[in-house]
Amino acid sequence: MNSKTQNKVAIGGLYGIAGFVVLILLALLGFILVSGVPQLSWHFLTAPGKAFLKGGGVGVQLFNSFYLLILAMLISFPIALGAAIYLYEYAKDNWLTTTIRTAIEILSSLPSVVVGLFGFLFFVVKLHLGFSILSGAFALTFFNLPLLTRSIEDSLRTISDVQREGGLALGLSRWETVSRVILPAAVPSILTGVILSAGRVFGEAAALIYTAGQSAPALNFADWNPFNISSPLNPMRPAETLAVHIWKINSEGIMPDAKAISSGSSAVLVIAILLFNFAARYLGKRLYKRLTSA
Amino acid sequence: MKEEILTTQDLHLYYGDKEALKGINLNFDEKGITALIGPSGCGKSTYLRTLNRMNDLIPNVTITGTIKFKGSDLYAPNADTVQIRKEIGMVFQQPNPFPFSIYDNVIYGLRIAGEKDKEKLDAVVEKSLRQAAVWDEVKDHLHESALALSGGQQQRVCIARVLAVSPEIILLDEPTSALDPVSSSQIEATLLNLRHDYTIIIVTHNLQQASRIADRTAFFMNGELIEVDQTKNIFMNPANKQTEDYISGRFG
């Protein structure tokens, strides 16, 4: 076989593999959407669930998913940002930073069910937070923190060192250079990372089953006092999310239309995550364009 | 007799064990342009970067000797690097505007220093860009991104950015080596404009450039200062054989 034919075979093989991957993805998405989208309706998206009867919705679960996501992001983003800035902009290479980096690596490869069980023992039991949104948010923070830290660190790495030198040579302090030059320049890429990790958090189930709980008490959407138990904002109430809901219906759902609800929920979840991904690309590109070109 | 604004005495610099500067004694008068020339790796850029402590950013660098700016030791334990770099600005080889608007680039130093007066900022932007000889080209696009400019314009905006914090000394590390000839000559014209108001120290690979713009030229080789004199003397009548060989293109 001469090198030209070899080249053709190699390219053909790579196309084949890539095509196969795309095909699997499309088949999966297609299956979920085709079986799920017909179940979707305004009622389905907003109504509370029913335990034994037909016609329940996922309104509460959908709200819980977003609320948990926002809380988890509020907790994890500042910590991840601080950690990433420290690690990339300030830390020297020594045993301490090597240890921190290794810890982050290990934390990021921890199975999420282990994170969930740790969250159960520590937040739910030890700290008496119970099955609550707060416990779930903390567990998600543990799950999210290493991924987000690494993604922000990577964003900082994309900003060239000549920018740092430029800032310092202008008589800015290290912190001014980081906060006023490097961070604004890194915003588009940081934002993309945040939204992508939001997608992962949104779809997370295992870490939440034992922390945020598996029940979704009906909420009174007219009551926004976070101290009332039926208020949507109450962080101490148990809160089943969409992903947990899917798992639960499929393992022990006893409503007659369990199959349909599961398909519909899956479609909502997949659509939401797709939206996150598209939003990340769109916003990242747009912000970058606005910051860099005329 | 002019004042000596910057003096270096017996300056040694080591990267780890390697001695990159081997005892440099070189002083700079106030105002005017001094060019640092020499073959690649001779230490001229390294030397330049000791003058505003940019080498601090590199790990494993050891510096001995004395550098004094207006009589005060730049490397004294209580020296304030932030203040030093405000007074001794630097322009780099690669134009490095921040990814913001031209206006924001120029006033960045001032704004962070807390200046809020819009009229004053506007005035500084215009003055600095005029001094850097780029005002006419960018005055209608001040609020567009500096990254949309050509390389030569970006470099002049970077010079304006340094001017805006009103330094006394401007260090330039091969500011034209990444630019085309037309942009280079614009930068040279800019520097000639500034030589009466600032002390300018420029590292350049381009001997013609040194002979065109510099009042004084210093020749470096292998980490040593071989010769420093009026530019005319260095190019027409060098005292040292090595200088003569380099100038006449026998090596380097």
Side-chain angles (χ1 to χ4, degrees):
Chain A
M1 208 171 5
N2 67 20
S3 62
K4 253 187 185 169
T5 347
Q6 269 179 348
N7 190 36
K8 272 181 190 156
V9 170
I11 290 178
L14 290 176
Y15 273 130
I17 293 169
F20 184 63
V21 171
V22 172
L23 213 68
I24 291 179
L25 185 70
L26 284 182
L28 251 165
L29 276 180
F31 175 76
I32 293 172
L33 292 179
V34 166
S35 58
V37 169
Q39 320 297 334
L40 301 186
S41 64
W42 184 244
H43 172 79
F44 180 73
L45 290 178
T46 53
K50 289 180 181 162
F52 312 108
L53 302 171
K54 257 170 80 101
V58 293
V60 175
Q61 284 84 358
L62 196 57
F63 177 84
N64 286 344
S65 289
F66 278 106
Y67 190 36
L68 245 168
L69 171 67
I70 290 169
L71 272 189
M73 278 297 169
L74 281 181
I75 302 171
S76 53
F77 180 69
I79 304 176
L81 185 67
I85 290 177
Y86 170 73
L87 282 175
Y88 191 70
E89 302 287 342
Y90 287 92
K92 297 191 173 69
D93 275 332
N94 55 28
W95 64 268
L96 180 68
T97 53
T98 315
T99 314
I100 296 179
R101 271 175 221 277
T102 314
I104 291 177
E105 299 260 316
I106 294 172
L107 210 56
S108 71
S109 54
L110 220 54
S112 58
V113 65
V114 175
V115 175
L117 285 171
F118 167 78
F120 171 69
L121 289 175
F122 189 67
F123 299 119
V124 176
V125 177
K126 190 87 190 158
L127 297 185
H128 303 292
L129 292 176
F131 288 120
S132 65
I133 291 196
L134 212 53
S135 302
F138 285 136
L140 284 181
T141 298
F142 272 73
F143 168 75
N144 192 29
L145 208 49
L147 301 168
L148 199 55
T149 305
R150 285 182 64 173
S151 130
I152 297 177
E153 215 187 327
D154 285 340
S155 302
L156 295 176
R157 190 163 298 146
T158 61
I159 307 300
S160 155
D161 275 343
V162 301
Q163 297 281 343
R164 291 180 180 83
E165 288 191 329
L168 293 172
L170 216 52
L172 308 190
S173 69
R174 195 84 180 234
W175 171 243
E176 284 167 339
T177 305
V178 170
S179 62
R180 309 291 286 271
V181 178
I182 305 302
L183 276 184
V187 158
S189 143
I190 291 177
L191 185 78
T192 310
V194 167
I195 300 180
L196 287 177
S197 80
R200 278 193 304 265
V201 167
F202 195 77
E204 177 55 35
L208 290 175
I209 293 171
Y210 304 110
T211 52
Q214 308 166 33
S215 60
L219 299 175
N220 175 7
F221 280 94
D223 181 0
W224 295 96
N225 180 350
F227 295 104
N228 293 348
I229 191 67
S230 63
S231 162
L233 290 185
N234 187 330
M236 300 312 292
R237 65 185 170 83
E240 184 194 39
T241 65
L242 209 53
V244 174
H245 192 53
I246 295 170
W247 170 80
K248 196 175 165 209
I249 294 175
N250 279 301
S251 53
E252 53 192 57
I254 45 173
M255 53 285 255
D257 55 351
K259 181 96 184 67
I261 293 181
S262 156
S263 307
S265 307
S266 305
V268 173
L269 196 64
V270 164
I271 291 171
I273 290 172
L274 282 178
L275 284 180
F276 278 133
N277 280 268
F278 289 132
R281 278 171 173 243
Y282 175 76
L283 281 176
K285 262 190 198 156
R286 224 186 111 123
L287 261 177
Y288 185 78
K289 242 188 179 163
R290 243 184 92 177
L291 283 170
T292 54
S293 71
Chain B
M1 178 73 191
K2 281 187 188 170
E3 286 280 313
E4 279 181 348
I5 188 168
L6 190 66
T7 62
T8 45
Q9 267 173 10
D10 194 29
L11 182 73
H12 293 260
L13 180 143
Y14 306 84
Y15 291 120
D17 293 334
K18 189 177 166 287
E19 188 175 22
L21 294 177
K22 303 171 182 167
I24 309 288
N25 294 294
L26 182 56
N27 299 337
F28 299 91
D29 294 336
E30 241 181 291
K31 318 295 183 211
I33 301 180
T34 304
L36 310 182
I37 61 169
S40 297
C42 67
K44 56 194 191 301
S45 285
T46 302
Y47 173 72
L48 190 78
R49 294 167 69 94
T50 60
L51 301 180
N52 68 342
R53 297 194 50 170
M54 287 308 276
N55 284 325
D56 290 14
L57 305 179
I58 306 167
N60 274 329
V61 165
T62 321
I63 295 169
T64 65
T66 324
I67 303 180
K68 282 187 173 169
F69 170 62
K70 290 180 154 178
S72 61
D73 188 352
L74 279 191
Y75 285 82
N78 60 351
D80 176 358
T81 52
V82 168
Q83 188 54 35
I84 288 168
R85 293 183 189 133
K86 277 188 182 126
E87 289 170 29
I88 308 179
M90 187 166 210
V91 176
F92 298 84
Q93 177 171 6
Q94 202 65 40
N96 59 348
F98 303 136
F100 312 123
S101 74
I102 297 167
Y103 186 95
D104 285 340
N105 260 282
V106 178
I107 57 156
Y108 229 66
L110 281 182
R111 187 173 270 174
I112 288 177
E115 181 61 58
K116 288 205 178 75
D117 184 352
K118 178 90 168 63
E119 267 174 42
K120 193 167 171 203
L121 291 175
D122 286 350
V124 169
V125 167
E126 174 163 356
K127 179 165 174 249
S128 309
L129 288 169
R130 275 191 196 283
Q131 280 184 310
V134 69
W135 171 253
D136 290 330
E137 292 159 61
V138 301
K139 66 178 180 217
D140 299 325
H141 320 276
L142 288 179
H143 294 283
E144 291 169 22
S145 169
L147 296 184
L149 299 173
S150 75
Q153 290 169 329
Q154 285 186 8
Q155 193 63 299
R156 280 176 286 155
V157 167
C158 289
I159 294 177
R161 181 173 79 183
V162 170
L163 295 176
V165 282
S166 32
E168 307 223 9
I169 302 179
I170 303 171
L171 310 174
L172 300 104
D173 190 0
E174 299 187 34
T176 61
S177 62
L179 304 179
D180 65 89
V182 176
S183 304
S184 298
S185 71
Q186 285 164 332
I187 301 275
E188 287 179 20
T190 304
L191 295 178
L192 286 172
N193 264 332
L194 296 172
R195 60 188 274 269
H196 304 294
D197 302 313
Y198 299 90
T199 307
I200 296 171
I201 306 173
I202 176 173
V203 164
T204 179
H205 264 298
N206 182 334
L207 296 178
Q208 281 77 33
Q209 183 171 68
S211 71
R212 278 192 299 264
I213 65 172
D215 301 298
R216 255 185 3 146
T217 297
F219 173 59
F220 281 70
M221 208 169 96
N222 298 329
E224 290 178 74
L225 173 65
I226 305 295
E227 189 175 352
V228 55
D229 203 341
Q230 298 301 312
T231 299
K232 199 168 42 176
N233 293 343
I234 290 275
F235 280 90
M236 306 299 282
N237 193 15
N240 188 293
K241 180 77 170 60
Q242 285 172 311
T243 316
E244 188 183 342
D245 287 351
Y246 183 69
I247 300 293
S248 53
R250 241 163 267 168
F251 72 93

